Amino acid sequence: MPWTPPIILPISVSPGLPSIVMVPNLQVWELSEDRLTIRHEYFDTTRKIDLLSRAHPAGGEPTAGGHAIGWFEGSTLVIETADLAATIGGLSRNAPSSDQRVVVERYTLGAEGRTLTGQMTINDSKYLTRPLTLAVTMERAEEGTELVSFPCDVESSRRHLD
């Protein structure tokens, strides 16, 4: 029987949390009074964190990016994301997750203003027996560094199958 290459569909959407935070690509954080917007170079993803609400809307529909709220506890930024869709990679890399997953991120800016350190805690009662906590460290890029968009070209990504 002749070998048939597998059907591989290119990933053209962000893998979501926690992967989007853990991949060492550039991010741009823009803070206003009511919102934190984080633009990720990885999959050209934009996260919007509501800084005014203290709760997620009741009956929210799960999506890849979920619904994020944030607040400050002293000098620590806390981001809680719920209403996340079930997905492969929702617990890191290829580990599956459910739509019950809630991710809480905690970040503190270092005294020198160049390092953001923190942790991400993932709760998913369907797949985890206890919360999963991952360390996060980010460093400020050099002045003038620009975010670059890398759009997915489906035809190009399939050329190796021909």
Side-chain angles (χ1 to χ4, degrees):
M1 175 184 284
W3 179 79
T4 304
I7 297 174
I8 299 174
L9 300 175
I11 299 173
S12 59
V13 296
S14 168
L17 290 171
S19 297
I20 193 72
V21 173
M22 304 305 287
V23 172
N25 284 78
L26 293 174
Q27 302 175 19
V28 174
W29 291 43
E30 297 171 336
L31 181 64
S32 68
E33 288 186 30
D34 63 342
R35 177 178 304 217
L36 170 62
T37 302
I38 305 173
R39 292 183 309 129
H40 295 264
E41 187 174 58
Y42 190 51
F43 284 94
D44 198 22
T45 302
T46 299
R47 296 176 62 201
K48 295 179 180 177
I49 296 94
D50 179 354
L51 299 176
L52 298 179
S53 298
R54 293 301 252 167
H56 300 283
E61 188 66 31
T63 64
H67 179 267
I69 57 175
W71 62 90
F72 284 91
E73 293 178 356
S75 62
T76 299
L77 169 66
V78 180
I79 302 171
E80 179 182 278
T81 307
D83 297 328
L84 289 156
T87 183
I88 296 295
L91 296 178
S92 186
R93 306 270 331 196
N94 294 325
S97 66
S98 77
D99 60 2
Q100 299 302 303
R101 178 173 38 125
V102 175
V103 178
V104 178
E105 301 160 77
R106 303 179 69 81
Y107 300 106
T108 303
L109 187 61
E112 80 293 346
R114 295 198 50 79
T115 305
L116 197 60
T117 58
Q119 64 183 28
M120 180 179 348
T121 301
I122 306 162
N123 289 284
D124 188 335
S125 59
K126 182 173 180 182
Y127 288 100
L128 298 173
T129 58
R130 64 180 184 265
L132 170 64
T133 300
L134 306 167
V136 179
T137 302
M138 294 179 245
E139 291 218 13
R140 186 181 300 269
E142 294 300 319
E143 193 68 37
T145 303
E146 294 183 27
L147 211 66
V148 178
S149 178
F150 298 99
C152 177
D153 179 338
V154 176
E155 289 304 313
S156 292
S157 67
R158 295 182 56 80
R159 283 189 194 147
H160 70 285
L161 299 175
D162 296 331

